[in-house]
Amino acid sequence: MDLLPGVRSVQVDTERLRVHLLESGPADGVPLVLLHGNLSTGRFYEHLMPRIPDTYRVLAPDMRGFGDTEPLPLDATRGLTDWADDLAALLDALGIDRPPHLVGWSTGAAAITAFVRTRPAASLTFLDPVSPYGYGGVRRDGTPNADDHAGSGAGSVNPQLVASLARHDDDPGNPFSIRNVMRSLFFAPGFTLPAEREDVLVAEIHKTLLGDDGYPGDAATSPHWPGVAPGVRGIANALSPKYCRWDDIVDLDPKPPVLWTHGALDLVVSDASPLDFGVLGAQGLVPGWPGAHEFPVQPQVTQIRDVLQRYAAAGGSVRSEMFEGSAHGPCIDAEDRWLAVLLAFLADVRAVDTVS
């Protein structure tokens, strides 16, 4: 499928790796970076790019391990800092020296918070972000259920999904084909993409670097229920609470304005995600669950709200927007409204910056 009008495909050699990205807008426009999440690429934002005013230079890179970017390994012990450093190197290679507006979808949200630990940003937009305490095996305050962070990391990924990805399986009867997974988790029930567009996104996901260095990463065993713990390589381990936390944004100085957008029907980042071992154990789907006292459900949306309330109390500006009827991807299944919310937020930030 050809790129949409005004969208360009670019390969950029940086000091860290060769990055593929989609780009739109003028070279001297205000930099707006759109970071995708796990099992996706920059092309998941392509449909929005022709609709963004040409006052912005829009960059939607394929992050390490995904799409057409050089397939280098990811060091999970750094959380999403590899992604953050890759982004910094990309901006340097493009000669962009002004603070960018950053959008992070799911996994990408952890990357943009890692970016602002060392570099300024004009604003942060979280799109159904991973919890500020990482994904799996933690209590509301971020305390792990076990000292080895059992219940998180690559071992928590369903092996049938990984096997399906390796086969490029597109059997409509296979619930673990990435087409069916995308339909059931990314988008709201009843939402359908045009067939040609869905084919493009499925093909993009099938570019994922699979294995210990990519998706899901290397797994470790644990003496604690459910018997798996994070390894040290690959994207699912990078999302483990052992390595991934962004609650420290409360201490940023200065604090960039924050927009949090979230699909109310999101099953991936939820207070009761069916991907959470606490939920699976309580439902009897994973034997041996030690009970809610030992392994509670991770209240991910509540954790996000808690941290952003602390951010606001510490002087930060936070705007929140829940999208009723949307799932993990309101930028797609509620495209018009989501884009309007983003552009209004960016316009307000720019207006404040102009006055100050």
Side-chain angles (χ1 to χ4, degrees), residues 149-356:
H149 293 270
S152 69
S156 65
V157 174
N158 193 309
Q160 295 180 78
L161 171 59
V162 180
S164 179
L165 283 168
R167 297 192 307 269
H168 285 202
D169 187 352
D170 204 19
D171 179 358
N174 175 13
F176 298 102
S177 74
I178 198 59
R179 188 183 302 271
N180 285 331
V181 170
M182 184 173 69
R183 288 174 177 175
S184 62
L185 293 181
F186 284 28
F187 310 135
F191 175 82
T192 56
L193 282 167
E196 187 179 40
R197 187 69 195 165
E198 185 178 75
D199 288 345
V200 167
L201 298 186
V202 168
E204 287 294 295
I205 298 174
H206 278 144
K207 296 176 181 179
T208 299
L209 173 65
L210 299 178
D212 288 351
D213 287 327
Y215 182 85
D218 62 322
T221 59
S222 170
H224 307 289
W225 189 88
V228 295
V232 297
R233 298 150 61 195
I235 192 69
N237 293 316
L239 289 166
S240 164
K242 185 174 182 178
Y243 311 119
C244 175
R245 288 186 69 143
W246 54 267
D247 55 312
D248 59 350
I249 66 164
V250 172
D251 300 321
L252 286 176
D253 185 20
K255 290 177 169 58
V258 167
L259 169 65
W260 172 31
T261 62
H262 209 101
L265 302 181
D266 189 354
L267 296 177
V268 179
V269 180
S270 163
D271 278 358
S273 172
L275 307 180
D276 180 355
F277 273 115
V279 172
L280 296 172
Q283 293 175 344
L285 299 175
V286 178
W289 180 55
H293 179 72
E294 298 295 327
F295 203 108
V297 172
Q298 181 184 357
Q300 300 172 67
V301 172
T302 297
Q303 290 172 332
I304 297 165
R305 185 174 292 111
D306 287 348
V307 168
L308 292 183
Q309 286 175 348
R310 288 168 46 207
Y311 188 83
S317 170
V318 177
R319 185 179 304 183
S320 301
E321 190 86 16
M322 296 298 289
F323 285 75
E324 299 297 329
S326 285
H328 192 55
C331 60
I332 295 176
D333 67 15
E335 171 189 347
D336 291 344
R337 181 182 162 206
W338 186 84
L339 184 59
V341 169
L342 173 66
L343 293 179
F345 168 71
L346 295 177
D348 288 349
V349 171
R350 293 186 66 199
V352 171
D353 287 345
T354 300
V355 171
S356 59

Side-chain angles (χ1 to χ4, degrees), residues 3 20-22 34-49 59-69 83 103 105 107-108 127 178 182 186 197 199-209 331-332:
L3 293 174
H20 173 260
L21 70 148
L22 298 186
L34 310 175
L35 290 196
H36 63 80
N38 200 358
L39 292 178
S40 54
T41 71
R43 202 156 189 190
F44 277 66
Y45 289 113
E46 180 192 3
H47 62 294
L48 301 174
M49 297 173 73
L59 309 173
D62 296 342
M63 301 309 292
R64 180 182 297 241
F66 297 95
D68 293 316
T69 284
W83 275 23
V103 177
W105 184 0
T107 298
L127 170 55
I178 198 59
M182 184 173 69
F186 284 28
R197 187 69 195 165
D199 288 345
V200 167
L201 298 186
V202 168
E204 287 294 295
I205 298 174
H206 278 144
K207 296 176 181 179
T208 299
L209 173 65
C331 60
I332 295 176

Side-chain angles (χ1 to χ4, degrees), residues 12-16 19 33 57 59 84-98 100 115 118-120:
V12 180
D13 288 318
T14 78
E15 63 177 13
R16 288 176 56 83
V19 176
V33 179
R57 181 182 184 180
L59 309 173
D85 290 349
D86 291 346
L87 173 58
L90 173 63
L91 297 178
D92 288 345
L94 293 173
I96 296 174
D97 57 5
R98 61 195 294 187
F115 180 94
T118 59
R119 294 200 177 202

